[in-house]
Amino acid sequence: MDAEVRVNITERLLASGRYLDQGDFEAYLSLFDDDGEYLIVADVPEIAGHATWMDLTKAELQGLLESASRHMWNSGVRTHHIAAPCFTRTDNAIETVAAVSVFRTCSKGSTTVYAVGQYHDWWVLQGEAWLLKRRRLQLATRDLTPPSALPL
Amino acid sequence: MAIPDSTHQVIGWDWDSIPGLPATHYLDNRIYTDPSLFQEEVGRIFKAQWKFACHESEVASPGCYRVIEVADTSVAVIRGADGALRAFLNVCPHRGAQLLRDVQGQLKGDRLSCFYHHWTFTAAGRCTTIPLPHAYVHDAIQADNVHLREVHLETTLGLVFINLSERPGQTLREFLGTALDQIAQPLTDLEVFHYHRVTVRANWKLFVETNCEGYHELLHLLNRTTALSQPSYLKRKWLLHPNGHHTFQPASIAYSKLKLGDRDSGTLPGMTPNMHVVVDLFPDVMVNARSTVIRVDSLIPIAPGLTILECRGLAPKSDTPEQRRLRIKQHNQVWGPLGRNLPEDIWAIETQWTNMRPRVFRHSLIAREDDDQATDDSPVRSFYAKWQELMGVKPSDIGLTENQSISESEYGR
């Protein structure tokens, strides 16, 4: 895998967090392939297994983000911190795994860690752009306080 | 105390007076904030009434256990080798250590052993082993007579309830009456596929209220679009049961109006496509059936302004992987940790709590009357009628305590 591909995907990975933080949902959605998927999963000891907390097609993700401004979610200001990814090449895609922390700043200005986890991303080359075929956020945090319906 | 300037005029609502309403139609907001009242609630309501603990599928096979919390008390629900469900205080009778430290698990060989001094018990609660027993010279301390403290447990429709009182005043059947009848069929043969907790910075009753007044559906884009937008929706009826339980009678929800897809396949037994039914069980349980999937919410009150919300999603055991995936999506649309409605409910009641503490807002109104239709406050009043019966004080006026006096002198009127 050449360095240019690594740089390109890393930049898009970092942009995914930045676009969410900025509320630039159109740019965020443009990172996904047309049949891209977005998932959030968590290990849940209470049910001795894992649970899916979000499982959206790109169209469903778009519907959620388009209606976000009409909802009343106390999301605060969010800042994604995404660590340098590990790369794995498969036949049709490149898989990256990157730790992610999301900080939340409330209206009074204090900041707390809101959620931590790992992005497991599958990137495919469409034309000249690497696009997300699938993003699976494996959350370590299970109590998202205060909750919000915005993707992480 | 601030002195109003001469141009100050009171307009509109007289904030400092008792509302000119029947006493059943407003609340003294100290019911949310008073620390001693909160402790009374824990003792008289949460530890003295039947309390939802978990679903049977969480303790499905012999040796399975689930540790739950009733307010400040840890309770172990265990399925014994004989298949019977029992509940015990999660306390070793020796020195009080927690017997089971994981939230769920599987016993080894039908025994549970305290990690501290290795006293060992059967899943039926009987002590089998006290290590190095020779030093217990008093007859009272022998394996034959130091057993676990069993707690009353009963089940119905897969829902496990416990009662921490020594002698429950009612059986579970008497307590529930016919409250669950409307959703008895959909509750059949389910299993829990989802569990999560939310830390809520508000009094537990504020969450209960938001579940049992349909007026708050105005808060939710989802409900405004898919429910209230239908002219007939406001005629949806509440059915009030004895003991403070209620049913929000069936209605059809127009999910497609928010591009969420119809729920016309995989409908649960006894339900029709897009049907919605809610049952609230006193004091803290909401069973919410949305055609294809069921949600059970319950509460762990920690402090007057701190509550843990427990959320469970249930679906048929017989699901194929494809069916289950669809139900999970439908569950999460509304109620997931990142669902559309749950964050709005939490934010609403947390802002209420913020204004309850300083006592600038003294009375809450539960005064809507609309023939028990969707936005009537009658379910809230029904809840507080039961609350008053158990607490022995009127929710409209809990009387003055020392704490409130201090609070008033701090903040003025």
Side-chain angles (χ1 to χ4, degrees):
Chain A
M1 191 183 316
D2 61 40
E4 191 178 342
V5 171
R6 287 173 181 264
V7 169
N8 194 325
I9 289 177
T10 301
E11 285 180 349
R12 296 177 81 77
L13 173 64
L14 298 178
S16 68
R18 195 170 62 248
Y19 291 150
L20 281 178
D21 295 341
Q22 294 168 342
D24 188 348
F25 300 140
E26 196 175 327
Y28 179 72
L29 288 164
S30 74
L31 296 172
F32 285 80
D33 194 13
D34 286 346
D35 61 352
E37 295 177 310
Y38 177 91
L39 290 100
I40 295 179
V41 298
D43 289 327
V44 182
E46 288 87 353
I47 59 172
H50 76 274
T52 302
W53 286 0
M54 228 180 210
D55 177 3
L56 303 175
T57 64
K58 184 179 180 181
E60 290 167 336
L61 183 59
Q62 184 172 357
L64 173 65
L65 293 173
E66 283 177 352
S67 63
S69 62
R70 294 191 289 150
H71 277 285
M72 299 292 287
W73 301 322
N74 185 15
S75 305
V77 175
R78 291 180 175 191
T79 306
H80 282 68
H81 180 87
I82 302 172
C86 301
F87 289 81
T88 307
R89 177 137 222 165
T90 62
D91 287 346
N92 304 315
I94 289 176
E95 182 183 347
T96 57
V97 179
V100 56
S101 310
V102 182
F103 298 87
R104 179 181 182 277
T105 304
C106 73
S107 59
K108 291 178 180 169
S110 58
T111 299
T112 52
V113 178
Y114 183 70
V116 296
Q118 282 186 331
Y119 285 137
H120 292 253
D121 292 336
W122 284 261
W123 302 87
V124 292
L125 189 61
Q126 298 288 10
E128 295 184 352
W130 288 96
L131 296 178
L132 276 167
K133 190 78 169 175
R134 190 166 190 251
R135 163 159 285 183
R136 182 171 138 266
L137 170 55
Q138 176 79 43
L139 269 183
T141 305
R142 289 183 288 121
D143 185 350
L144 299 168
T145 303
S148 158
L150 286 176
L152 293 166
Chain B
M1 184 185 299
I3 300 172
D5 68 45
S6 58
T7 60
H8 175 85
Q9 290 185 323
V10 174
I11 54 171
W13 188 257
D14 181 353
W15 288 65
D16 296 333
S17 298
I18 293 172
L21 296 165
T24 51
H25 284 45
Y26 62 91
L27 301 168
D28 178 341
N29 289 338
R30 291 174 296 183
I31 63 170
Y32 305 109
T33 59
D34 185 81
S36 58
L37 193 72
F38 174 81
Q39 289 305 325
E40 288 283 307
E41 286 177 327
V42 169
R44 293 180 182 224
I45 296 177
F46 283 86
K47 293 186 179 177
Q49 302 299 307
W50 287 101
K51 171 81 183 71
F52 172 71
C54 63
H55 189 262
E56 281 196 75
S57 64
E58 296 171 70
V59 277
S61 56
C64 281
Y65 69 85
R66 181 80 168 84
V67 173
I68 57 105
E69 294 148 67
V70 179
D72 55 5
T73 301
S74 178
V75 176
V77 177
I78 303 173
R79 192 176 291 280
D82 56 358
L85 275 178
R86 299 179 182 86
F88 305 95
L89 296 187
N90 188 21
V91 182
C92 179
H94 174 216
R95 298 292 299 276
Q98 277 200 333
L99 285 166
L100 297 169
R101 286 160 293 135
D102 294 326
V103 289
Q104 67 78 35
Q106 179 77 34
L107 300 179
K108 292 176 183 169
D110 198 45
R111 294 285 189 276
L112 56 159
S113 186
C114 179
F115 73 109
Y116 198 0
H117 300 92
H118 294 205
W119 286 33
T120 301
F121 308 86
T122 69
R126 300 196 68 78
C127 184
T128 60
T129 308
I130 296 177
L132 308 174
H134 64 279
Y136 286 117
V137 297
H138 301 286
D139 288 344
I141 307 175
Q142 296 180 357
D144 287 344
N145 57 15
V146 283
H147 307 304
L148 301 186
R149 178 71 180 266
E150 189 161 2
V151 169
H152 296 277
L153 179 151
E154 292 189 31
T155 66
T156 183
L157 299 168
L159 308 176
V160 180
F161 290 80
I162 59 173
N163 190 316
L164 295 188
S165 63
E166 280 191 35
R167 290 181 202 81
Q170 294 175 298
T171 64
L172 177 64
R173 179 185 288 267
E174 290 166 343
F175 175 66
L176 295 177
T178 58
L180 285 169
D181 285 3
Q182 181 77 57
I183 53 168
Q185 267 190 283
L187 278 174
T188 307
D189 292 328
L190 303 181
E191 63 184 6
V192 171
F193 66 82
H194 175 99
Y195 176 93
H196 85 278
R197 288 179 164 210
V198 184
T199 301
V200 184
R201 288 175 176 79
N203 184 265
W204 67 276
K205 297 187 294 298
L206 292 170
F207 190 77
V208 171
E209 292 168 21
T210 201
N211 282 333
C212 61
E213 56 99 334
Y215 195 34
H216 94 284
E217 295 198 62
L218 286 163
L219 165 69
H220 301 302
L221 171 67
L222 188 144
N223 296 49
R224 292 195 302 272
T225 312
T226 65
L228 291 168
S229 61
Q230 303 177 83
S232 62
Y233 188 80
L234 291 176
K235 297 188 183 302
R236 186 179 185 182
K237 281 273 195 173
W238 286 96
L239 181 60
L240 309 183
H241 305 282
N243 289 327
H245 315 306
H246 349 95
T247 303
F248 203 13
Q249 301 263 41
S252 182
I253 305 300
Y255 295 99
S256 57
K257 288 191 173 184
L258 204 55
K259 298 180 182 172
L260 296 175
D262 281 325
R263 300 187 178 201
D264 50 8
S265 65
T267 305
L268 296 171
M271 301 203 79
T272 55
N274 297 324
M275 183 193 277
H276 182 220
V277 184
V278 182
V279 175
D280 296 316
L281 300 178
F282 187 91
D284 67 323
V285 179
M286 178 189 68
V287 185
N288 198 329
R290 281 186 179 266
S291 180
T292 57
V293 66
I294 287 186
R295 170 64 162 261
V296 178
D297 284 350
S298 56
L299 302 173
I300 305 169
I302 305 295
L306 188 61
T307 306
I308 303 295
L309 167 64
E310 292 189 290
C311 309
R312 288 172 169 82
L314 292 93
K317 292 176 186 170
S318 58
D319 271 352
T320 64
E322 293 74 24
Q323 288 172 321
R324 181 59 57 88
R325 185 180 181 190
L326 183 59
R327 282 189 219 281
I328 291 172
K329 282 173 80 109
Q330 292 170 338
H331 169 272
N332 289 340
Q333 282 173 351
V334 185
W335 304 307
L338 297 98
R340 288 168 180 255
N341 277 18
L342 181 66
E344 292 173 332
D345 282 322
I346 302 300
W347 197 11
I349 67 171
E350 288 189 341
T351 68
Q352 282 180 288
W353 172 252
T354 300
N355 286 327
M356 298 298 178
R357 275 184 307 173
R359 299 280 301 135
V360 295
F361 174 57
R362 289 165 177 269
H363 299 101
S364 293
L365 304 181
I366 50 171
R368 293 182 64 81
E369 294 187 57
D370 193 18
D371 194 25
D372 292 335
Q373 296 186 120
T375 70
D376 199 321
D377 282 331
S378 55
V380 187
R381 292 191 289 271
S382 160
F383 169 87
Y384 278 107
K386 182 65 179 178
W387 185 93
Q388 178 176 335
E389 175 194 323
L390 297 174
M391 295 294 294
V393 294
K394 291 181 179 177
S396 59
D397 182 5
I398 66 167
L400 268 180
T401 68
E402 192 175 332
N403 285 339
Q404 271 92 51
S405 300
I406 292 167
S407 171
E408 287 182 3
S409 66
E410 282 177 350
Y411 292 101
R413 294 194 63 173

